[in-house]
Amino acid sequence: MGNRFICMTKKDAKDVGSRSKRMGRSQRKLLAEEEYLHRQALSMALQQHQLSQRFEGSMSRRIGSTSSRRRNLPDSFSNNKPLQVTEILENIKIKKFVLIHGEGFGAWCWYKTVALLEEAGLLPVAFDLTGSGIDLTDINSVTTLAEYSKPLSDYLENLPEDEKVVLVGHSIGGACISYAMEHYSQKISKAIFLCATMVTDGQRPFDVFADQLGSAERFMEESKFLIHGNGKEKPPTGFMFEKELMKGLYFNQSPSKDVALAMVSMRPSPLGPIMEKLSLSEKYSSGRRFYIQTLDDHALSPDVQEKLVRENPPEGVFKIKGSDHCPFLSKPQSLHKILVEIAQIP
């Protein structure tokens, strides 16, 4: 299986420096633990490209699982009585969550969410998609959504017949869970789109970002972020934004340490999968979909997210105030509460 990355973040970090003199011993302990976890995650990211082991999903490939429905959950499960956690678990039938990252990310981005879900007694699993995280596949060879989503497909195919999971897809990862809903509907209890590309039949994942990036045709011809892995004279094979632009698009509310982690961990994304039109049938449309909107998102604006849920209504819509495009970094506690809330919906 290779390495398994497990974290135990207790709560979001806020305005730490100014309170250091006045905090008690227990608070200092929590902050020290968080500081250690950040250093651990950053150290892990720096070593990613030196690792050659293949996990069932990959470092990034394999970390966790979760879900949730609104019930005024406390801010931190770690301080709750065991009975409270037990009561929550009794209300959750499907405890395994499969976390699917977005473009350029890897399973590493879910480290806070994995820790919180595990503390709540749930079973999170995170994968690196093909050519992402520490998966060594050359992105220039990844041309279809099926190839890009293969780690997820392999995982679902190997599930026992009577076992189901909750899928959580971030950003372009929304296309991957849509693909999974179409091909493995019997294995999926609920699908949660986290500021994600929740497309309709015949739509490309890229189309969701058209307001920010222009038409697909114009992007393919003019974008300076394209990668021509097979030579300039041939069609582009991937893309990656410059670091400063990436910070503004994805991480405008994320802690600086997590931004540093992302800057050494982000990888180019294959272009083919996001330009592919999805073929979705009743298998997809009859599945249980939920959408989580991020209200300070510069990559997929709140207006675009609202348009997505209006044109393709899910079963439930949840909102995270003050979150950028990466709520698993900027608002992990808020995200966690919503996941658990959705998980509890009968």
Side-chain angles (χ1 to χ4, degrees), residues 268-308:
S269 300
L271 192 60
I274 72 167
M275 293 297 179
E276 180 180 326
K277 292 182 179 181
L278 272 73
S279 179
L280 301 173
S281 69
E282 180 68 20
K283 289 182 179 179
Y284 165 79
S285 59
S286 62
R288 300 188 68 184
R289 292 177 291 113
F290 299 83
Y291 200 96
I292 302 176
Q293 298 178 337
T294 43
L295 301 187
D296 197 10
D297 193 326
H298 292 179
L300 194 64
S301 73
D303 287 345
V304 171
Q305 294 181 52
E306 190 64 37
K307 180 180 178 183
L308 288 176

Side-chain angles (χ1 to χ4, degrees), residues 96-334:
K96 185 167 286 187
F97 283 70
V98 179
L99 310 174
I100 303 302
H101 63 79
E103 68 284 358
F105 293 83
W108 58 266
C109 71
W110 297 105
Y111 81 97
K112 294 181 180 180
T113 299
V114 167
L116 290 167
L117 291 172
E118 288 184 340
E119 287 178 0
L122 298 170
L123 304 171
V125 179
F127 293 95
D128 287 329
L129 298 175
T130 306
S132 306
I134 61 170
D135 181 273
L136 302 179
T137 305
D138 180 1
I139 65 143
N140 299 305
S141 68
V142 182
T143 59
T144 68
L145 188 60
E147 293 171 340
Y148 186 53
S149 305
K150 190 175 186 302
L152 173 59
S153 298
D154 289 347
Y155 179 82
L156 294 174
E157 284 179 359
N158 290 320
L159 278 177
E161 287 188 10
D162 60 346
E163 187 172 339
K164 291 188 176 185
V165 300
V166 175
L167 293 185
V168 183
H170 170 243
S171 200
I172 292 296
C176 298
I177 67 173
S178 296
Y179 177 87
M181 292 176 72
E182 179 66 26
H183 293 87
Y184 304 98
S185 58
Q186 74 280 9
K187 301 289 184 72
I188 300 166
S189 171
K190 296 168 186 171
I192 302 172
F193 293 78
L194 177 59
C195 49
T197 52
M198 188 173 65
V199 298
T200 55
D201 180 47
Q203 192 176 21
R204 294 174 290 199
F206 182 89
D207 294 341
V208 174
F209 294 92
D211 286 350
Q212 278 93 341
L213 300 176
S215 68
E217 293 73 22
R218 182 177 178 183
F219 182 81
M220 293 281 282
E221 292 176 2
E222 302 178 6
S223 176
K224 62 181 180 179
F225 307 115
L226 296 174
I227 297 169
H228 292 262
N230 297 324
K232 269 287 186 182
E233 69 285 354
K234 294 186 178 180
T237 54
F239 72 97
M240 186 172 186
F241 298 121
E242 295 172 348
K243 286 188 176 182
E244 288 306 311
L245 177 60
M246 204 182 298
K247 289 179 183 179
L249 283 175
Y250 294 134
F251 309 111
N252 49 293
Q253 293 294 342
S254 295
S256 59
K257 293 171 186 175
D258 287 325
V259 177
L261 169 62
M263 291 302 100
V264 298
S265 304
M266 298 288 286
R267 290 183 58 188
S269 300
L271 192 60
I274 72 167
M275 293 297 179
E276 180 180 326
K277 292 182 179 181
L278 272 73
S279 179
L280 301 173
S281 69
E282 180 68 20
K283 289 182 179 179
Y284 165 79
S285 59
S286 62
R288 300 188 68 184
R289 292 177 291 113
F290 299 83
Y291 200 96
I292 302 176
Q293 298 178 337
T294 43
L295 301 187
D296 197 10
D297 193 326
H298 292 179
L300 194 64
S301 73
D303 287 345
V304 171
Q305 294 181 52
E306 190 64 37
K307 180 180 178 183
L308 288 176
V309 300
R310 186 171 62 249
E311 295 180 347
N312 188 16
E315 182 176 331
V317 177
F318 301 80
K319 301 182 180 184
I320 303 179
K321 294 181 179 179
S323 175
D324 55 22
H325 195 56
C326 301
F328 39 75
L329 299 178
S330 61
K331 290 289 183 179
Q333 289 282 359
S334 298

Side-chain angles (χ1 to χ4, degrees), residues 5-21:
F5 176 42
I6 300 177
C7 301
M8 295 180 292
T9 301
K10 298 276 194 292
K11 61 179 183 178
D12 298 349
K14 283 188 178 181
D15 303 324
V16 170
S18 63
R19 302 182 314 202
S20 60
K21 292 183 180 180

